[in-house]
Amino acid sequence: MTEYFVYAFIYLAAAVIAVPIATRCGLGSVLGYLIAGVVIGPVIGLVGDETSNIKHFAEFLVVLMLFWWASNSNQNCFGKCVIACWD
């Protein structure tokens, strides 16, 4: 259980460091998160061996995020986008 807290701390610390640096450089916060992920994953190797454990949790969070987006989006606009894609 404590290993999850250590991994969560590593992820959060990397995000807290990388996002402000990327924002100041004019890259945006999303690229800051991507840079943080690349640095702690393949470059330094702090995380990466627990991917099978985190995968299920990440998939669940993606489903929750899509549910939140669908419930807060403008349904009329969403319908127009879907119709435009199928035409």
Side-chain angles (χ1 to χ4, degrees):
M1 185 67 172
T2 32
E3 68 184 24
Y4 290 118
F5 291 124
V6 172
Y7 291 139
F9 178 75
I10 291 171
Y11 288 128
L12 290 174
V16 166
I17 293 169
V19 171
I21 292 172
T23 305
R24 285 191 183 120
C25 293
L27 297 175
S29 61
V30 174
L31 283 175
Y33 288 119
L34 287 173
I35 292 168
V38 167
V39 167
I40 64 173
V43 175
I44 296 178
L46 289 176
V47 294
D49 55 345
E50 77 289 343
T51 56
S52 62
N53 296 333
I54 294 177
K55 179 180 176 185
H56 300 295
F57 183 65
E59 288 173 351
F60 177 69
L61 290 179
V62 167
V63 170
L64 285 179
M65 182 186 66
L66 290 173
F67 176 75
W68 173 81
W69 176 76
S71 66
N72 289 329
S73 66
N74 185 355
Q75 300 298 326
N76 191 20
C77 178
F78 181 71
K80 289 179 184 177
C81 293
V82 170
I83 291 172
C85 288
W86 287 102
D87 283 342

